[in-house]
């Protein structure tokens, strides 16, 4: 369960921190002629919707990323154990 929790937390934090740039990227992709660049798009977004505008779509993104990353980390660590893959520290001590 520890690996699943670590993966879920990492996925959630990473998604939340990268959400503002994702909003800007999506804005530029959907209407490239409207914004002259990243800075102009960010300023327009801030004027339009305040600081909260940078978190648009964060809830659905978190609902997807948190469970997906939790499951991925749990499966990944399960396969590592099943295959007998050693941790980096363990490998370094055996040399």
């Amino acid at each position: 369960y520890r690996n699943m929790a670590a993966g879920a937390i990492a996925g959630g934090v990473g998604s939340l921190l990268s959400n503002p740039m994702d909003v800007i990227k999506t804005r530029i992709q959907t209407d490239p002629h409207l914004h002259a660049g990243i800075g102009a798009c960010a300023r327009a977004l801030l004027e339009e919707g305040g600081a909260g505008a940078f978190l648009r779509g964060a809830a659905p993104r978190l609902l997807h990323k948190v469970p997906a990353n939790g499951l991925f980390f749990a499966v990944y660590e399960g396969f590592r154990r099943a295959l007998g893959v050693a941790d980096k520290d363990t490998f370094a001590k055996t040399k």
Side-chain angles (χ1 to χ4, degrees), residues 66-78:
V66 168
N69 280 24
L71 183 61
F72 170 79
F73 271 74
V75 170
Y76 175 80
E77 291 298 328

Side-chain angles (χ1 to χ4, degrees), residues 19-20 23-24 27 42 44-57:
N19 201 77
V23 172
I24 293 169
R27 277 285 186 97
L45 195 57
L46 187 61
E47 289 173 8
E48 192 178 294
F54 291 99
L55 293 177
R56 285 186 186 148

